[in-house]
Amino acid sequence: MRAALLALALLAGPVAAQEITYSDAATAECLAGAEEFPDQRACIGLSSNLCMEGPGGYSTYGMGGCLDAELSFWDELLNENYRARMVQAKSADEDAALYQPELPSQAEALRDMQRVWITFRDAACDYERSQWGGGTGGGPATLACLMQMTGEQALRLGAAY
């Protein structure tokens, strides 16, 4: 019994050692104070960088966890901004249908643009991963690429045109 407990403790050690501490606070605070796109863009990666500087964040596994956590933040913002932009586009389409029915649909154009953007983002980040030749840095590099591109698209969709 004692040997089994010791074996479990030894197996749990690496997992516990790789726990990370992540918070969206740095990114959210940065965005709250940034009005222009370049300033907002500079907010991308702040929280994951702080996480990687903390306990467990220095390992490849930890880096991946930190980057994935911030990617989730940007993905949520992207979806929120896309939904808001789609509401605006559909409203514009309804108005245009009354006075200029020949105009192309903004909602369809937005949907098509987002679908193509997702394909482009994924291909760009697959290329990023390919540069690591199968090495362990490929995972974090891919997540960093996804986070950066998703953050930028979230900001573009949230910008007032």
Side-chain angles (χ1 to χ4, degrees):
M1 178 79 159
R2 184 178 266 179
L5 289 175
L6 180 60
L8 285 174
L10 290 174
L11 289 174
V15 173
Q18 294 184 18
E19 289 183 22
I20 59 167
T21 303
Y22 176 83
S23 169
D24 293 325
T27 303
E29 288 173 22
C30 179
L31 286 174
E35 293 182 25
E36 301 294 323
F37 183 80
D39 298 326
Q40 294 171 344
R41 189 171 182 240
C43 299
I44 301 170
L46 288 180
S47 293
S48 59
N49 286 338
L50 287 172
C51 175
M52 287 186 277
E53 292 172 5
Y58 54 86
S59 68
T60 303
Y61 178 84
M63 288 177 196
C66 295
L67 292 163
D68 190 48
E70 189 169 340
L71 171 58
S72 293
F73 170 88
W74 290 109
D75 192 51
E76 287 176 28
L77 184 60
L78 174 109
N79 290 322
E80 179 183 316
N81 289 347
Y82 176 80
R83 284 189 294 273
R85 184 67 62 197
M86 184 58 77
V87 167
Q88 291 174 344
K90 287 179 178 180
S91 177
D93 287 346
E94 288 174 9
D95 291 345
L98 296 173
Y99 305 105
Q100 296 175 303
E102 71 281 358
L103 290 178
S105 167
Q106 286 187 30
E108 288 176 18
L110 174 64
R111 181 201 63 222
D112 293 347
M113 177 276 304
Q114 188 65 7
R115 286 179 179 170
V116 171
W117 174 82
I118 290 168
T119 300
F120 171 74
R121 177 201 61 186
D122 292 349
C125 294
D126 284 346
Y127 173 67
E128 181 72 28
R129 182 181 194 95
S130 75
Q131 296 178 53
W132 287 83
T136 58
T142 302
L143 288 168
C145 176
L146 290 168
M147 179 191 65
Q148 184 69 38
M149 292 185 77
T150 301
E152 290 172 1
Q153 185 71 352
L155 295 172
R156 278 189 208 94
L157 288 173
Y161 289 96

